[in-house]
Amino acid sequence: MKILVTGGAGYIGSHTTLALLEAGYEVVVLDNLCNSSDAALHAVEGICGKSALMIRGDVCDRALLDRIFQQHSIDAVLHFAGLKAVGESVRKPLEYYETNVSGSITLCQAMAAAGVFRLVFSSSATVYGEPEQMPIREDFPTGIPTNPYGQSKLIVENVLRDLSQAEPRWSIALLRYFNPIGAHDSGHMGEDPSGIPNNLLPYISQVAVGSLQELSVFGDDYPTADGTGVRDYIHVVDLADGHLKALQAIDGRTGIHTWNLGTGDGYSVMQVLRAFEQACGKPVPFRVMPRRSGDIAESWADASKAEKELGWKATRNLQDMVTDTWRWQSNHPNGYLE
Amino acid sequence: MKILVTGGAGYIGSHTTLALLEAGYEVVVLDNLCNSSDAALHAVEGICGKSALMIRGDVCDRALLDRIFQQHSIDAVLHFAGLKAVGESVRKPLEYYETNVSGSITLCQAMAAAGVFRLVFSSSATVYGEPEQMPIREDFPTGIPTNPYGQSKLIVENVLRDLSQAEPRWSIALLRYFNPIGAHDSGHMGEDPSGIPNNLLPYISQVAVGSLQELSVFGDDYPTADGTGVRDYIHVVDLADGHLKALQAIDGRTGIHTWNLGTGDGYSVMQVLRAFEQACGKPVPFRVMPRRSGDIAESWADASKAEKELGWKATRNLQDMVTDTWRWQSNHPNGYLE
């Protein structure tokens, strides 16, 4: 089985590429390296002794996609390629819509032209908007995302739903990620955002390693136990494993299928911070700032549908996540650069 | 003033191109002629003695757009190019999302790169979904369109809204059309859909002219006066005039502005049919069929915002619309083909 992994050099993409190679799949990675490094794929090779074929290019490039499908007998596509910074998406909406929406449309057209109809799409819990109750089930209505990043994920979900209705031969998995953190336990692969991190864990760990001065905690007056926002953090290696299970589940099973990928547990910003301090053995300075617009108080998954239908369940807990993050960050204070 | 009109050889685009030329604008038309004919532009020239520059090409072709903006000093864009058949959009969603959504994103990126920030977009009353009351005002919430065509219009509206938020220098008009019908009163320009028409008027007129056998009336049990669906039909020449007014209104006025373009009057399918029979002087056979899924009972505009802010008001009534349609259809039973 040969899998095309778009965005396969990125944070989640590279961990999934590793899992695919370890499970015996052949992997072709397409990545434009705009927010990733091919060093991630060298790390993959160092860990498992197998390598993916890396093609540098853009998912919006239809001619390139056509060539890839002509030259490789691709069985399925895992589609990670996309822009993912919420704040940047507000400032540069066209880039987000082009890469995330137009890119996905172009990919699907190239797949259809090549006769490839199995697709796993990286969606996000952001498509739920602000749900009225927790935990979040897949049959909750989707909400109205408050930023172009979230909009782009919801639009692609809806495009794929329309596609599945029109062309029943497609097998599509929409994986709604909660908050992926952590790193491979080798300490040689992890999250390596370019510029100032947008997400909690890389930010905390860059403070701990001395690259940044202090963490901003956005809001401590939410209606949660300690006032800070609560999220369902999931270890990236568990998440990668979820992709393999989804890929297998839709083999021979047409239609469109939605699965939450989360642990089912919520942790507050302060809980994560304290856990991280334990893991790294030093205090992480922070400052409380006003809430960010668009942030919700809490969000965690009902992960039972994935367990029942995919036989998948996250096995790594918060301490594993922060310990692995710290191992990666302290081994590689400059990410993949050094 | 030089205007780029995408889809300028199409039904509404060609009537607007005529209005622009008559008002003294220079016009560059970009049209791939997938559902239109350059004979429409010859008709424009025959009527007004001026001609638009026709460029055959696709709005998704970024390199072509860049060349057009380099070679012409474009002041504003009227963006008509798009696919518009509701039923087809359900069968071919990717084509609709590519042309309508990706095409609009590509166009905006080319505009921004060229420093052109004035855009009039062809939206549709379909973005309102099924409103709870009539007439429909612009401040009604948008609904959830039931087909990819409608979805694509709503997505582009939202993309443009995000763009306007991010880049306040843009001046954008979203024109929400109700049901454009009619033809230029010369009898030499009109609607010329390829294949079986999807909309009421071209269908009726092709029955009247003998090209089709009978009209299907979808549903006669709606909660309306005669049981058939009620719509706000607007004469295409009034609609074209609305585009000029919107183009002028956003000159020097940044932000994003939404205007309904309708008459404010609703007519049922049976009323339109009877009016058409009067105009053509013969009976038009019809058969009542079940309702089509996704059709709403009635829809008409509150057109007062356009009147107040644009100084625009539709001046042609239903009898004008059907008379002009019949003149075009009877002069040109095969549309622009002969």
PDB file of all heavy atoms in Angstrom, chain A residues 100-102 104-106 108 152-166 172 174 256, chain B residues 93-98 101 148 151-152 155:
ATOM      1  N   ASN A 100      -5.883  26.180   2.090  1.00  0.00           N
ATOM      2  CA  ASN A 100      -6.691  25.157   2.759  1.00  0.00           C
ATOM      3  C   ASN A 100      -7.899  24.726   1.936  1.00  0.00           C
ATOM      4  O   ASN A 100      -8.190  23.524   1.841  1.00  0.00           O
ATOM      5  CB  ASN A 100      -7.143  25.668   4.125  1.00  0.00           C
ATOM      6  CG  ASN A 100      -5.976  25.878   5.086  1.00  0.00           C
ATOM      7  OD1 ASN A 100      -4.810  25.790   4.701  1.00  0.00           O
ATOM      8  ND2 ASN A 100      -6.263  26.162   6.339  1.00  0.00           N
ATOM      9  N   VAL A 101      -8.609  25.681   1.346  1.00  0.00           N
ATOM     10  CA  VAL A 101      -9.830  25.331   0.607  1.00  0.00           C
ATOM     11  C   VAL A 101      -9.493  24.991  -0.848  1.00  0.00           C
ATOM     12  O   VAL A 101      -9.745  23.874  -1.296  1.00  0.00           O
ATOM     13  CB  VAL A 101     -10.870  26.469   0.684  1.00  0.00           C
ATOM     14  CG1 VAL A 101     -12.091  26.114  -0.164  1.00  0.00           C
ATOM     15  CG2 VAL A 101     -11.279  26.718   2.132  1.00  0.00           C
ATOM     16  N   SER A 102      -8.913  25.939  -1.568  1.00  0.00           N
ATOM     17  CA  SER A 102      -8.602  25.653  -2.985  1.00  0.00           C
ATOM     18  C   SER A 102      -7.661  24.456  -3.082  1.00  0.00           C
ATOM     19  O   SER A 102      -7.812  23.615  -3.978  1.00  0.00           O
ATOM     20  CB  SER A 102      -7.958  26.873  -3.662  1.00  0.00           C
ATOM     21  OG  SER A 102      -8.786  28.010  -3.551  1.00  0.00           O
ATOM     22  N   SER A 104      -7.462  21.856  -1.141  1.00  0.00           N
ATOM     23  CA  SER A 104      -8.195  20.599  -0.944  1.00  0.00           C
ATOM     24  C   SER A 104      -9.046  20.254  -2.160  1.00  0.00           C
ATOM     25  O   SER A 104      -9.172  19.085  -2.541  1.00  0.00           O
ATOM     26  CB  SER A 104      -9.086  20.705   0.305  1.00  0.00           C
ATOM     27  OG  SER A 104      -8.292  20.919   1.457  1.00  0.00           O
ATOM     28  N   ILE A 105      -9.651  21.275  -2.768  1.00  0.00           N
ATOM     29  CA  ILE A 105     -10.459  21.043  -3.972  1.00  0.00           C
ATOM     30  C   ILE A 105      -9.565  20.501  -5.094  1.00  0.00           C
ATOM     31  O   ILE A 105      -9.904  19.515  -5.762  1.00  0.00           O
ATOM     32  CB  ILE A 105     -11.156  22.352  -4.411  1.00  0.00           C
ATOM     33  CG1 ILE A 105     -12.194  22.783  -3.360  1.00  0.00           C
ATOM     34  CG2 ILE A 105     -11.811  22.195  -5.778  1.00  0.00           C
ATOM     35  CD1 ILE A 105     -12.719  24.211  -3.541  1.00  0.00           C
ATOM     36  N   THR A 106      -8.411  21.144  -5.270  1.00  0.00           N
ATOM     37  CA  THR A 106      -7.485  20.710  -6.321  1.00  0.00           C
ATOM     38  C   THR A 106      -7.016  19.277  -6.075  1.00  0.00           C
ATOM     39  O   THR A 106      -6.978  18.454  -6.995  1.00  0.00           O
ATOM     40  CB  THR A 106      -6.269  21.663  -6.369  1.00  0.00           C
ATOM     41  OG1 THR A 106      -6.744  22.980  -6.626  1.00  0.00           O
ATOM     42  CG2 THR A 106      -5.282  21.257  -7.456  1.00  0.00           C
ATOM     43  N   CYS A 108      -8.580  16.902  -4.455  1.00  0.00           N
ATOM     44  CA  CYS A 108      -9.671  15.954  -4.737  1.00  0.00           C
ATOM     45  C   CYS A 108      -9.869  15.780  -6.239  1.00  0.00           C
ATOM     46  O   CYS A 108     -10.167  14.670  -6.706  1.00  0.00           O
ATOM     47  CB  CYS A 108     -10.971  16.430  -4.102  1.00  0.00           C
ATOM     48  SG  CYS A 108     -10.975  16.288  -2.312  1.00  0.00           S
ATOM     49  N   SER A 152     -12.096  27.675   7.099  1.00  0.00           N
ATOM     50  CA  SER A 152     -11.554  26.860   6.009  1.00  0.00           C
ATOM     51  C   SER A 152     -11.726  25.374   6.301  1.00  0.00           C
ATOM     52  O   SER A 152     -12.004  24.582   5.403  1.00  0.00           O
ATOM     53  CB  SER A 152     -10.088  27.215   5.747  1.00  0.00           C
ATOM     54  OG  SER A 152      -9.232  26.692   6.749  1.00  0.00           O
ATOM     55  N   LYS A 153     -11.578  24.987   7.570  1.00  0.00           N
ATOM     56  CA  LYS A 153     -11.756  23.569   7.917  1.00  0.00           C
ATOM     57  C   LYS A 153     -13.214  23.149   7.717  1.00  0.00           C
ATOM     58  O   LYS A 153     -13.496  22.065   7.189  1.00  0.00           O
ATOM     59  CB  LYS A 153     -11.331  23.332   9.376  1.00  0.00           C
ATOM     60  CG  LYS A 153      -9.827  23.450   9.608  1.00  0.00           C
ATOM     61  CD  LYS A 153      -9.048  22.360   8.881  1.00  0.00           C
ATOM     62  CE  LYS A 153      -7.553  22.513   9.003  1.00  0.00           C
ATOM     63  NZ  LYS A 153      -6.802  21.571   8.170  1.00  0.00           N
ATOM     64  N   LEU A 154     -14.135  24.011   8.145  1.00  0.00           N
ATOM     65  CA  LEU A 154     -15.552  23.678   8.000  1.00  0.00           C
ATOM     66  C   LEU A 154     -15.957  23.639   6.525  1.00  0.00           C
ATOM     67  O   LEU A 154     -16.710  22.753   6.095  1.00  0.00           O
ATOM     68  CB  LEU A 154     -16.403  24.699   8.761  1.00  0.00           C
ATOM     69  CG  LEU A 154     -17.906  24.443   8.772  1.00  0.00           C
ATOM     70  CD1 LEU A 154     -18.238  23.039   9.278  1.00  0.00           C
ATOM     71  CD2 LEU A 154     -18.618  25.488   9.627  1.00  0.00           C
ATOM     72  N   ILE A 155     -15.450  24.576   5.752  1.00  0.00           N
ATOM     73  CA  ILE A 155     -15.768  24.584   4.315  1.00  0.00           C
ATOM     74  C   ILE A 155     -15.301  23.280   3.672  1.00  0.00           C
ATOM     75  O   ILE A 155     -16.054  22.647   2.917  1.00  0.00           O
ATOM     76  CB  ILE A 155     -15.112  25.798   3.618  1.00  0.00           C
ATOM     77  CG1 ILE A 155     -15.800  27.097   4.047  1.00  0.00           C
ATOM     78  CG2 ILE A 155     -15.172  25.651   2.096  1.00  0.00           C
ATOM     79  CD1 ILE A 155     -15.060  28.366   3.615  1.00  0.00           C
ATOM     80  N   VAL A 156     -14.081  22.859   3.978  1.00  0.00           N
ATOM     81  CA  VAL A 156     -13.575  21.631   3.346  1.00  0.00           C
ATOM     82  C   VAL A 156     -14.409  20.432   3.788  1.00  0.00           C
ATOM     83  O   VAL A 156     -14.753  19.567   2.973  1.00  0.00           O
ATOM     84  CB  VAL A 156     -12.080  21.421   3.638  1.00  0.00           C
ATOM     85  CG1 VAL A 156     -11.606  20.081   3.089  1.00  0.00           C
ATOM     86  CG2 VAL A 156     -11.252  22.551   3.023  1.00  0.00           C
ATOM     87  N   GLU A 157     -14.779  20.384   5.065  1.00  0.00           N
ATOM     88  CA  GLU A 157     -15.678  19.295   5.497  1.00  0.00           C
ATOM     89  C   GLU A 157     -16.946  19.279   4.639  1.00  0.00           C
ATOM     90  O   GLU A 157     -17.388  18.219   4.188  1.00  0.00           O
ATOM     91  CB  GLU A 157     -16.072  19.467   6.970  1.00  0.00           C
ATOM     92  CG  GLU A 157     -15.027  19.027   7.970  1.00  0.00           C
ATOM     93  CD  GLU A 157     -15.656  18.629   9.313  1.00  0.00           C
ATOM     94  OE1 GLU A 157     -16.908  18.677   9.441  1.00  0.00           O
ATOM     95  OE2 GLU A 157     -14.908  18.256  10.223  1.00  0.00           O
ATOM     96  N   ASN A 158     -17.524  20.455   4.417  1.00  0.00           N
ATOM     97  CA  ASN A 158     -18.776  20.514   3.661  1.00  0.00           C
ATOM     98  C   ASN A 158     -18.565  20.174   2.189  1.00  0.00           C
ATOM     99  O   ASN A 158     -19.408  19.525   1.567  1.00  0.00           O
ATOM    100  CB  ASN A 158     -19.415  21.896   3.820  1.00  0.00           C
ATOM    101  CG  ASN A 158     -19.967  22.101   5.219  1.00  0.00           C
ATOM    102  OD1 ASN A 158     -20.303  21.138   5.920  1.00  0.00           O
ATOM    103  ND2 ASN A 158     -20.046  23.342   5.657  1.00  0.00           N
ATOM    104  N   VAL A 159     -17.446  20.604   1.637  1.00  0.00           N
ATOM    105  CA  VAL A 159     -17.119  20.236   0.251  1.00  0.00           C
ATOM    106  C   VAL A 159     -17.013  18.713   0.140  1.00  0.00           C
ATOM    107  O   VAL A 159     -17.571  18.098  -0.782  1.00  0.00           O
ATOM    108  CB  VAL A 159     -15.803  20.897  -0.197  1.00  0.00           C
ATOM    109  CG1 VAL A 159     -15.301  20.291  -1.505  1.00  0.00           C
ATOM    110  CG2 VAL A 159     -15.977  22.415  -0.341  1.00  0.00           C
ATOM    111  N   LEU A 160     -16.332  18.097   1.106  1.00  0.00           N
ATOM    112  CA  LEU A 160     -16.139  16.645   1.046  1.00  0.00           C
ATOM    113  C   LEU A 160     -17.468  15.911   1.254  1.00  0.00           C
ATOM    114  O   LEU A 160     -17.702  14.859   0.653  1.00  0.00           O
ATOM    115  CB  LEU A 160     -15.106  16.209   2.090  1.00  0.00           C
ATOM    116  CG  LEU A 160     -13.680  16.728   1.819  1.00  0.00           C
ATOM    117  CD1 LEU A 160     -12.745  16.331   2.968  1.00  0.00           C
ATOM    118  CD2 LEU A 160     -13.135  16.208   0.491  1.00  0.00           C
ATOM    119  N   ARG A 161     -18.336  16.495   2.047  1.00  0.00           N
ATOM    120  CA  ARG A 161     -19.658  15.880   2.238  1.00  0.00           C
ATOM    121  C   ARG A 161     -20.445  15.932   0.932  1.00  0.00           C
ATOM    122  O   ARG A 161     -21.067  14.937   0.516  1.00  0.00           O
ATOM    123  CB  ARG A 161     -20.380  16.604   3.376  1.00  0.00           C
ATOM    124  CG  ARG A 161     -21.511  15.816   3.978  1.00  0.00           C
ATOM    125  CD  ARG A 161     -21.893  16.339   5.357  1.00  0.00           C
ATOM    126  NE  ARG A 161     -21.008  15.828   6.387  1.00  0.00           N
ATOM    127  CZ  ARG A 161     -20.255  16.584   7.183  1.00  0.00           C
ATOM    128  NH1 ARG A 161     -20.294  17.887   7.098  1.00  0.00           N
ATOM    129  NH2 ARG A 161     -19.479  16.019   8.073  1.00  0.00           N
ATOM    130  N   ASP A 162     -20.427  17.094   0.273  1.00  0.00           N
ATOM    131  CA  ASP A 162     -21.113  17.202  -1.024  1.00  0.00           C
ATOM    132  C   ASP A 162     -20.500  16.243  -2.040  1.00  0.00           C
ATOM    133  O   ASP A 162     -21.216  15.636  -2.839  1.00  0.00           O
ATOM    134  CB  ASP A 162     -21.008  18.639  -1.553  1.00  0.00           C
ATOM    135  CG  ASP A 162     -21.881  19.614  -0.758  1.00  0.00           C
ATOM    136  OD1 ASP A 162     -22.810  19.162  -0.072  1.00  0.00           O
ATOM    137  OD2 ASP A 162     -21.615  20.831  -0.823  1.00  0.00           O
ATOM    138  N   LEU A 163     -19.185  16.111  -2.000  1.00  0.00           N
ATOM    139  CA  LEU A 163     -18.497  15.210  -2.923  1.00  0.00           C
ATOM    140  C   LEU A 163     -18.923  13.768  -2.688  1.00  0.00           C
ATOM    141  O   LEU A 163     -19.212  13.019  -3.630  1.00  0.00           O
ATOM    142  CB  LEU A 163     -16.987  15.358  -2.738  1.00  0.00           C
ATOM    143  CG  LEU A 163     -16.099  14.414  -3.536  1.00  0.00           C
ATOM    144  CD1 LEU A 163     -16.343  14.567  -5.030  1.00  0.00           C
ATOM    145  CD2 LEU A 163     -14.628  14.669  -3.200  1.00  0.00           C
ATOM    146  N   SER A 164     -18.994  13.390  -1.428  1.00  0.00           N
ATOM    147  CA  SER A 164     -19.385  12.022  -1.085  1.00  0.00           C
ATOM    148  C   SER A 164     -20.828  11.734  -1.514  1.00  0.00           C
ATOM    149  O   SER A 164     -21.147  10.635  -1.974  1.00  0.00           O
ATOM    150  CB  SER A 164     -19.211  11.822   0.426  1.00  0.00           C
ATOM    151  OG  SER A 164     -19.744  10.593   0.830  1.00  0.00           O
ATOM    152  N   GLN A 165     -21.689  12.734  -1.377  1.00  0.00           N
ATOM    153  CA  GLN A 165     -23.080  12.586  -1.835  1.00  0.00           C
ATOM    154  C   GLN A 165     -23.148  12.407  -3.346  1.00  0.00           C
ATOM    155  O   GLN A 165     -23.935  11.617  -3.849  1.00  0.00           O
ATOM    156  CB  GLN A 165     -23.860  13.866  -1.495  1.00  0.00           C
ATOM    157  CG  GLN A 165     -24.186  14.023  -0.032  1.00  0.00           C
ATOM    158  CD  GLN A 165     -25.648  13.784   0.221  1.00  0.00           C
ATOM    159  OE1 GLN A 165     -26.490  14.215  -0.561  1.00  0.00           O
ATOM    160  NE2 GLN A 165     -25.959  13.070   1.281  1.00  0.00           N
ATOM    161  N   ALA A 166     -22.308  13.165  -4.044  1.00  0.00           N
ATOM    162  CA  ALA A 166     -22.362  13.132  -5.512  1.00  0.00           C
ATOM    163  C   ALA A 166     -21.697  11.876  -6.061  1.00  0.00           C
ATOM    164  O   ALA A 166     -22.121  11.340  -7.082  1.00  0.00           O
ATOM    165  CB  ALA A 166     -21.693  14.378  -6.091  1.00  0.00           C
ATOM    166  N   ILE A 172     -14.126   8.611   2.759  1.00  0.00           N
ATOM    167  CA  ILE A 172     -13.542   9.821   3.342  1.00  0.00           C
ATOM    168  C   ILE A 172     -13.643   9.783   4.863  1.00  0.00           C
ATOM    169  O   ILE A 172     -14.711   9.494   5.412  1.00  0.00           O
ATOM    170  CB  ILE A 172     -14.252  11.078   2.816  1.00  0.00           C
ATOM    171  CG1 ILE A 172     -14.123  11.161   1.283  1.00  0.00           C
ATOM    172  CG2 ILE A 172     -13.701  12.346   3.478  1.00  0.00           C
ATOM    173  CD1 ILE A 172     -14.928  12.273   0.640  1.00  0.00           C
ATOM    174  N   LEU A 174     -13.149  12.282   8.076  1.00  0.00           N
ATOM    175  CA  LEU A 174     -12.897  13.615   8.636  1.00  0.00           C
ATOM    176  C   LEU A 174     -12.444  13.403  10.074  1.00  0.00           C
ATOM    177  O   LEU A 174     -13.220  12.943  10.913  1.00  0.00           O
ATOM    178  CB  LEU A 174     -14.176  14.458   8.634  1.00  0.00           C
ATOM    179  CG  LEU A 174     -14.918  14.619   7.311  1.00  0.00           C
ATOM    180  CD1 LEU A 174     -16.200  15.436   7.516  1.00  0.00           C
ATOM    181  CD2 LEU A 174     -14.031  15.264   6.261  1.00  0.00           C
ATOM    182  N   ILE A 256     -18.759   9.074   3.947  1.00  0.00           N
ATOM    183  CA  ILE A 256     -17.962  10.033   4.699  1.00  0.00           C
ATOM    184  C   ILE A 256     -18.181   9.784   6.185  1.00  0.00           C
ATOM    185  O   ILE A 256     -19.308   9.573   6.632  1.00  0.00           O
ATOM    186  CB  ILE A 256     -18.295  11.485   4.278  1.00  0.00           C
ATOM    187  CG1 ILE A 256     -17.331  12.482   4.906  1.00  0.00           C
ATOM    188  CG2 ILE A 256     -19.735  11.849   4.571  1.00  0.00           C
ATOM    189  CD1 ILE A 256     -17.275  13.812   4.166  1.00  0.00           C
TER     190      ILE A 256
ATOM    191  N   PRO B  93     -20.014  18.739  -7.499  1.00  0.00           N
ATOM    192  CA  PRO B  93     -19.669  19.770  -6.515  1.00  0.00           C
ATOM    193  C   PRO B  93     -18.250  20.316  -6.669  1.00  0.00           C
ATOM    194  O   PRO B  93     -18.045  21.517  -6.511  1.00  0.00           O
ATOM    195  CB  PRO B  93     -19.862  19.062  -5.171  1.00  0.00           C
ATOM    196  CG  PRO B  93     -19.817  17.603  -5.480  1.00  0.00           C
ATOM    197  CD  PRO B  93     -20.371  17.458  -6.854  1.00  0.00           C
ATOM    198  N   LEU B  94     -17.290  19.451  -6.987  1.00  0.00           N
ATOM    199  CA  LEU B  94     -15.912  19.953  -7.069  1.00  0.00           C
ATOM    200  C   LEU B  94     -15.774  21.025  -8.147  1.00  0.00           C
ATOM    201  O   LEU B  94     -15.070  22.017  -7.961  1.00  0.00           O
ATOM    202  CB  LEU B  94     -14.922  18.820  -7.351  1.00  0.00           C
ATOM    203  CG  LEU B  94     -14.640  17.855  -6.207  1.00  0.00           C
ATOM    204  CD1 LEU B  94     -13.645  16.791  -6.664  1.00  0.00           C
ATOM    205  CD2 LEU B  94     -14.134  18.573  -4.973  1.00  0.00           C
ATOM    206  N   GLU B  95     -16.447  20.808  -9.280  1.00  0.00           N
ATOM    207  CA  GLU B  95     -16.356  21.815 -10.342  1.00  0.00           C
ATOM    208  C   GLU B  95     -16.938  23.145  -9.883  1.00  0.00           C
ATOM    209  O   GLU B  95     -16.406  24.213 -10.190  1.00  0.00           O
ATOM    210  CB  GLU B  95     -17.114  21.339 -11.586  1.00  0.00           C
ATOM    211  CG  GLU B  95     -16.394  20.223 -12.308  1.00  0.00           C
ATOM    212  CD  GLU B  95     -17.133  19.801 -13.581  1.00  0.00           C
ATOM    213  OE1 GLU B  95     -17.807  20.644 -14.204  1.00  0.00           O
ATOM    214  OE2 GLU B  95     -17.046  18.616 -13.935  1.00  0.00           O
ATOM    215  N   TYR B  96     -18.043  23.057  -9.143  1.00  0.00           N
ATOM    216  CA  TYR B  96     -18.664  24.297  -8.666  1.00  0.00           C
ATOM    217  C   TYR B  96     -17.784  24.992  -7.646  1.00  0.00           C
ATOM    218  O   TYR B  96     -17.598  26.209  -7.683  1.00  0.00           O
ATOM    219  CB  TYR B  96     -20.081  24.020  -8.119  1.00  0.00           C
ATOM    220  CG  TYR B  96     -21.077  24.060  -9.249  1.00  0.00           C
ATOM    221  CD1 TYR B  96     -21.048  23.093 -10.247  1.00  0.00           C
ATOM    222  CD2 TYR B  96     -21.968  25.120  -9.393  1.00  0.00           C
ATOM    223  CE1 TYR B  96     -21.902  23.160 -11.338  1.00  0.00           C
ATOM    224  CE2 TYR B  96     -22.827  25.203 -10.478  1.00  0.00           C
ATOM    225  CZ  TYR B  96     -22.789  24.214 -11.441  1.00  0.00           C
ATOM    226  OH  TYR B  96     -23.622  24.306 -12.532  1.00  0.00           O
ATOM    227  N   TYR B  97     -17.242  24.215  -6.700  1.00  0.00           N
ATOM    228  CA  TYR B  97     -16.382  24.858  -5.699  1.00  0.00           C
ATOM    229  C   TYR B  97     -15.113  25.392  -6.351  1.00  0.00           C
ATOM    230  O   TYR B  97     -14.625  26.456  -5.984  1.00  0.00           O
ATOM    231  CB  TYR B  97     -16.069  23.886  -4.564  1.00  0.00           C
ATOM    232  CG  TYR B  97     -17.261  23.631  -3.669  1.00  0.00           C
ATOM    233  CD1 TYR B  97     -17.839  22.364  -3.560  1.00  0.00           C
ATOM    234  CD2 TYR B  97     -17.835  24.664  -2.932  1.00  0.00           C
ATOM    235  CE1 TYR B  97     -18.942  22.135  -2.744  1.00  0.00           C
ATOM    236  CE2 TYR B  97     -18.938  24.446  -2.121  1.00  0.00           C
ATOM    237  CZ  TYR B  97     -19.489  23.174  -2.034  1.00  0.00           C
ATOM    238  OH  TYR B  97     -20.582  22.965  -1.234  1.00  0.00           O
ATOM    239  N   GLU B  98     -14.573  24.661  -7.310  1.00  0.00           N
ATOM    240  CA  GLU B  98     -13.353  25.158  -7.950  1.00  0.00           C
ATOM    241  C   GLU B  98     -13.623  26.469  -8.687  1.00  0.00           C
ATOM    242  O   GLU B  98     -12.942  27.481  -8.474  1.00  0.00           O
ATOM    243  CB  GLU B  98     -12.775  24.129  -8.931  1.00  0.00           C
ATOM    244  CG  GLU B  98     -11.482  24.639  -9.552  1.00  0.00           C
ATOM    245  CD  GLU B  98     -10.956  23.776 -10.674  1.00  0.00           C
ATOM    246  OE1 GLU B  98     -11.763  23.167 -11.400  1.00  0.00           O
ATOM    247  OE2 GLU B  98      -9.727  23.721 -10.831  1.00  0.00           O
ATOM    248  N   VAL B 101     -15.571  29.179  -5.975  1.00  0.00           N
ATOM    249  CA  VAL B 101     -14.830  29.560  -4.764  1.00  0.00           C
ATOM    250  C   VAL B 101     -13.353  29.789  -5.089  1.00  0.00           C
ATOM    251  O   VAL B 101     -12.832  30.888  -4.907  1.00  0.00           O
ATOM    252  CB  VAL B 101     -14.992  28.499  -3.651  1.00  0.00           C
ATOM    253  CG1 VAL B 101     -14.152  28.884  -2.437  1.00  0.00           C
ATOM    254  CG2 VAL B 101     -16.464  28.371  -3.263  1.00  0.00           C
ATOM    255  N   PRO B 148     -24.497  22.818  -3.480  1.00  0.00           N
ATOM    256  CA  PRO B 148     -23.157  23.401  -3.627  1.00  0.00           C
ATOM    257  C   PRO B 148     -23.156  24.765  -4.322  1.00  0.00           C
ATOM    258  O   PRO B 148     -22.341  25.624  -3.984  1.00  0.00           O
ATOM    259  CB  PRO B 148     -22.410  22.336  -4.438  1.00  0.00           C
ATOM    260  CG  PRO B 148     -23.064  21.055  -4.029  1.00  0.00           C
ATOM    261  CD  PRO B 148     -24.532  21.401  -3.914  1.00  0.00           C
ATOM    262  N   GLN B 151     -24.054  27.145  -1.577  1.00  0.00           N
ATOM    263  CA  GLN B 151     -22.920  27.132  -0.653  1.00  0.00           C
ATOM    264  C   GLN B 151     -21.778  27.969  -1.193  1.00  0.00           C
ATOM    265  O   GLN B 151     -21.148  28.730  -0.470  1.00  0.00           O
ATOM    266  CB  GLN B 151     -22.393  25.700  -0.454  1.00  0.00           C
ATOM    267  CG  GLN B 151     -23.200  24.860   0.509  1.00  0.00           C
ATOM    268  CD  GLN B 151     -22.854  25.161   1.968  1.00  0.00           C
ATOM    269  OE1 GLN B 151     -22.147  26.102   2.287  1.00  0.00           O
ATOM    270  NE2 GLN B 151     -23.387  24.348   2.854  1.00  0.00           N
ATOM    271  N   SER B 152     -21.503  27.794  -2.488  1.00  0.00           N
ATOM    272  CA  SER B 152     -20.350  28.498  -3.061  1.00  0.00           C
ATOM    273  C   SER B 152     -20.555  30.008  -2.997  1.00  0.00           C
ATOM    274  O   SER B 152     -19.617  30.764  -2.736  1.00  0.00           O
ATOM    275  CB  SER B 152     -20.084  28.029  -4.499  1.00  0.00           C
ATOM    276  OG  SER B 152     -21.035  28.557  -5.405  1.00  0.00           O
ATOM    277  N   ILE B 155     -20.007  31.010   0.679  1.00  0.00           N
ATOM    278  CA  ILE B 155     -18.580  30.934   1.033  1.00  0.00           C
ATOM    279  C   ILE B 155     -17.851  32.163   0.497  1.00  0.00           C
ATOM    280  O   ILE B 155     -17.080  32.801   1.221  1.00  0.00           O
ATOM    281  CB  ILE B 155     -17.950  29.632   0.472  1.00  0.00           C
ATOM    282  CG1 ILE B 155     -18.479  28.419   1.233  1.00  0.00           C
ATOM    283  CG2 ILE B 155     -16.420  29.693   0.550  1.00  0.00           C
ATOM    284  CD1 ILE B 155     -18.109  27.079   0.591  1.00  0.00           C
TER     285      ILE B 155
END
